[in-house]
Amino acid sequence: MHIVSCFKVVPEEQDIVVTPDQKLSFDRADFKISQFDLNGIEAAVQLAGEGDVVTALSVGGKILENSKLKKDVLSRGPSELCLVKDDAAFEGAFAETTASAIAAAARTTGFDLLVFGEGSGDLYAQQTGLLAARILGVPCVNAVSSIEKTEAGIRVERSLENEVEVIELPLPAAVCVTSDINVPRIPTMKAILGAGKKPAKTLSTADIGWSAPAKTVELDAIEVPPRKERAHEVLEGDSAVADFAARIKSALK
């Protein structure tokens, strides 16, 4: 089985700065693999058996050149790494653009199963996996909390409000896993050292025969909600609890 686990590189949240004009500055932000995609990578590695190949796949801009990130991905268990890099096309790309590029890359590399996290750590659109599957014309299930192989393909589970749904899928297929499907492994020193010996390739959009789809969404601006100063009101006395509850109700109206 050839499993392709898709991941996104996102800014480190703690490094993002709010400027005085209520904008977000990423100038000093380091980058990392989206936490939700770490669950996807771990799910793919756990599912893979002897003879199976796990390809970690990402599309993006110049940040994909970061050797530390490449080693981080490969140290988590994938067999190989495939990056599709185009600064102009993928910097700040939305789900539709990313999904179409992933679909084109998957056709180029080949796949039996595509694995996605439930969303990305920046936009959290929860659309990329579903859109990529639609473009490829393969079945897709989201909110997956368990995956196992079957003779005909895979069996997945997803937890609904009052029941657990069990679905069997033929291959090729795609799944979007939840963040509670597993606990991503912490790479050992041996895995980190071994990551440098694993195959990694960088492709261009021409290599995968991709051209950008028509834009359906445009980013107008990113603004931080204005900060409200604390009121510093202290409620005391026998009626403090009732007064507090009344203020909460009023604020929620």
Side-chain angles (χ1 to χ4, degrees), residues 20-229:
D21 59 349
Q22 301 303 114
K23 306 292 184 182
L24 294 178
S25 173
F26 301 92
D27 294 343
R28 299 182 180 179
D30 200 359
F31 287 82
K32 65 177 185 179
I33 305 166
S34 173
Q35 183 63 40
F36 303 108
D37 292 331
L38 290 180
N39 295 111
I41 293 171
E42 182 65 28
V45 173
Q46 288 185 9
L47 182 65
E50 186 177 353
D52 293 338
V53 174
V54 178
T55 301
L57 170 65
S58 185
V59 303
K62 59 185 178 182
I63 188 57
L64 294 183
E65 298 172 356
N66 188 306
S67 59
K68 180 181 176 182
L69 282 170
K70 293 179 183 179
K71 189 170 288 188
D72 187 19
V73 176
L74 289 170
S75 67
R76 295 176 183 275
S79 316
E80 59 185 19
L81 176 64
C82 180
L83 304 173
V84 180
K85 178 179 168 294
D86 189 307
D87 297 350
F90 301 131
E91 286 289 350
F94 286 101
E96 192 168 37
T97 298
T98 303
S100 66
I102 286 174
R107 286 194 187 103
T108 301
T109 63
F111 72 97
D112 294 304
L113 179 65
L114 289 174
V115 180
F116 297 84
E118 65 182 58
S120 62
D122 49 3
L123 298 177
Y124 197 66
Q126 296 183 288
Q127 296 178 12
T128 303
L130 298 171
L131 289 172
R134 185 196 68 183
I135 295 168
L136 290 165
V138 300
C140 181
V141 179
N142 65 345
V144 170
S145 56
S146 174
I147 314 173
E148 63 180 33
K149 291 181 181 179
T150 64
E151 291 185 3
I154 57 170
R155 180 183 296 111
V156 302
E157 293 183 1
R158 57 179 178 178
S159 300
L160 305 180
E161 187 172 351
N162 297 314
E163 59 188 7
V164 175
E165 186 175 38
V166 180
I167 304 171
E168 293 195 2
L169 294 172
L171 299 178
V175 294
C176 306
V177 303
T178 62
S179 56
D180 59 359
I181 191 171
N182 55 47
V183 177
R185 69 189 64 192
I186 298 174
T188 63
M189 182 57 66
K190 181 179 179 180
I192 294 171
L193 294 174
K197 300 177 182 178
K198 293 182 178 180
K201 60 184 176 182
T202 300
L203 304 176
S204 67
T205 54
D207 292 329
I208 61 173
W210 179 83
S211 57
K215 283 188 176 182
T216 58
V217 178
E218 288 190 6
L219 179 63
D220 182 56
I222 298 177
E223 295 187 2
V224 181
R227 297 179 65 180
K228 186 176 181 180
E229 295 296 326

